[in-house]
Amino acid sequence: MKAVMSNRAAIAMYVLPALLLIMVIIYVPLVLTGYYGMMDWKGFAPMKFIGLGNYNKLIHDSMFWKSTYHSVLLGIFSTLSLFIYLAVSMVLASRIKGANLFRKIYLIPMLLSSVAIAQLWSKIYDPANGMLNNLLMAFGVENPPLWLSDPNIVLYSIFVPIVWQYAGFYIIIYYAALKNVSEEVVEAATIDGATAWQVATRVKLPLIAPVFKVTIILALVGSLKYFDLIFVMTGGGPNHASEVMASYMYGEAFSKYNFGYGSAIGFALLVICLLMTWLIRKLTASNEDVQY
């Protein structure tokens, strides 16, 4: 009995510092964000408790719902992009010629900061001297689009560098998962007459399904709170056409000094991310998960 108690005490001593760190860094700020969301606070004057006033304002704020729509649209686009990453990783895992070189090239965006990527793609999208518009004009397009100035296409223009930025991250996850698929299982399917397409879709994909579910959650939730690249490239403009929840929260809190309302937006963003995670887990739950 004493040995069991001593073991528990030793385990508690090892776990407690990590728990305290998690509490201080994650859970306490989350609670404070929800608390500040119930305040009328400009950052300088004393806080004034207004209850659910900011959250009620949030419900009737058309700009909040517009930014939410943009974030959800970005999440859907990022989730669909996972199929491209998966296809590329399958090609790389098939030992084609030049795969080793490509495995080094696709990691380059992971080495760059979001600010550097934003500056790079801003130059590419430049309407006067940008590489993209010069290329289009070389092919006879007289009036190429204003990629970051046209409200109708600016959001989709930003999607491209975001997909490019995270390509290496997801490809390396899928590549590692595919490499962990047993060669015996693949050889058995091939001996039974399965084609390369059947091996990929009926053998490999089901075996890496848990990894795919995790990446869906990462892509969707990460897109909902995406901020840095959009802020540097457009600042949410023009006319809020590329505004997302995180940039709207930043603008309210640090540009308009409405910290109470900005905290309410941040807490609402947290709730939406949790709901999305729960929904994805429900929709992608396997029979084993349900039984468990």
Side-chain angles (χ1 to χ4, degrees):
M1 187 67 178
K2 291 183 178 180
V4 173
M5 293 298 294
S6 62
N7 288 337
R8 289 180 178 177
I11 293 172
M13 289 180 62
Y14 282 110
V15 173
L16 187 59
L19 289 177
L20 290 175
L21 191 63
I22 292 174
M23 288 289 294
V24 172
I25 295 178
I26 299 178
Y27 293 110
V28 172
L30 291 180
V31 174
L32 289 177
T33 300
Y35 172 72
Y36 291 146
M38 295 186 289
M39 300 291 172
D40 181 10
W41 184 33
K42 298 298 181 181
F44 304 101
M47 292 186 290
K48 179 182 178 183
F49 182 77
I50 58 174
L52 299 178
N54 283 326
Y55 296 100
N56 183 57
K57 177 183 176 182
L58 202 65
I59 295 174
H60 300 90
D61 187 353
S62 60
M63 186 53 61
F64 170 74
W65 291 112
K66 182 178 182 180
S67 64
T68 302
Y69 169 73
H70 291 162
S71 293
V72 172
L73 196 63
L74 174 59
I76 294 173
F77 191 85
S78 299
T79 303
L80 293 176
S81 301
L82 294 178
F83 294 98
I84 300 176
Y85 304 146
L86 180 60
V88 172
S89 62
M90 282 190 167
V91 172
L92 293 177
S94 62
R95 301 175 182 176
I96 64 169
K97 186 177 181 181
N100 289 330
L101 175 62
F102 190 78
R103 278 198 293 269
K104 297 178 177 65
I105 293 175
Y106 73 69
L107 291 175
I108 292 177
M110 295 179 62
L111 306 177
L112 302 176
S113 68
S114 295
V115 175
I117 292 174
Q119 292 293 336
L120 171 64
W121 281 89
S122 294
K123 298 298 182 183
I124 293 175
Y125 284 141
D126 186 272
N129 302 310
M131 180 181 69
L132 183 57
N133 278 5
N134 287 336
L135 184 62
L136 291 175
M137 286 187 290
F139 281 95
V141 179
E142 296 182 359
N143 297 308
L146 302 175
W147 301 100
L148 301 180
S149 301
D150 188 344
N152 296 318
I153 63 172
V154 61
L155 196 63
Y156 304 100
S157 300
I158 293 175
F159 287 167
V160 176
I162 292 175
V163 171
W164 181 76
Q165 179 183 11
Y166 287 99
F169 175 74
Y170 290 107
I171 289 174
I172 199 170
I173 290 177
Y174 291 142
Y175 179 81
L178 290 168
K179 281 299 182 181
N180 282 330
V181 174
S182 174
E183 289 290 339
E184 288 78 8
V185 175
V186 175
E187 290 177 2
T190 304
I191 293 172
D192 288 341
T195 63
W197 174 257
Q198 290 173 330
V199 169
T201 57
R202 299 185 183 182
V203 177
K204 292 183 178 181
L205 281 183
L207 291 174
I208 67 169
V211 175
F212 193 67
K213 181 171 70 172
V214 170
T215 56
I216 290 176
I217 295 175
L218 289 175
L220 188 54
V221 174
S223 299
L224 290 176
K225 58 186 183 65
Y226 200 79
F227 169 74
D228 43 7
L229 187 141
I230 294 176
F231 181 77
V232 174
M233 290 187 71
T234 65
N239 194 26
H240 301 287
S242 61
E243 196 82 78
V244 292
M245 282 188 286
S247 63
Y248 185 51
M249 174 188 67
Y250 179 89
E252 288 292 326
F254 298 102
S255 296
K256 299 180 180 179
Y257 298 103
N258 194 350
F259 290 98
Y261 191 56
S263 297
I265 297 172
F267 195 76
L269 176 57
L270 167 66
V271 172
I272 292 173
C273 289
L274 291 175
L275 288 175
M276 284 293 183
T277 303
W278 175 82
L279 181 61
I280 293 171
R281 289 176 63 87
K282 280 291 184 182
L283 293 176
T284 59
S286 62
N287 294 330
E288 291 80 3
D289 295 332
V290 174
Q291 292 173 3
Y292 178 79

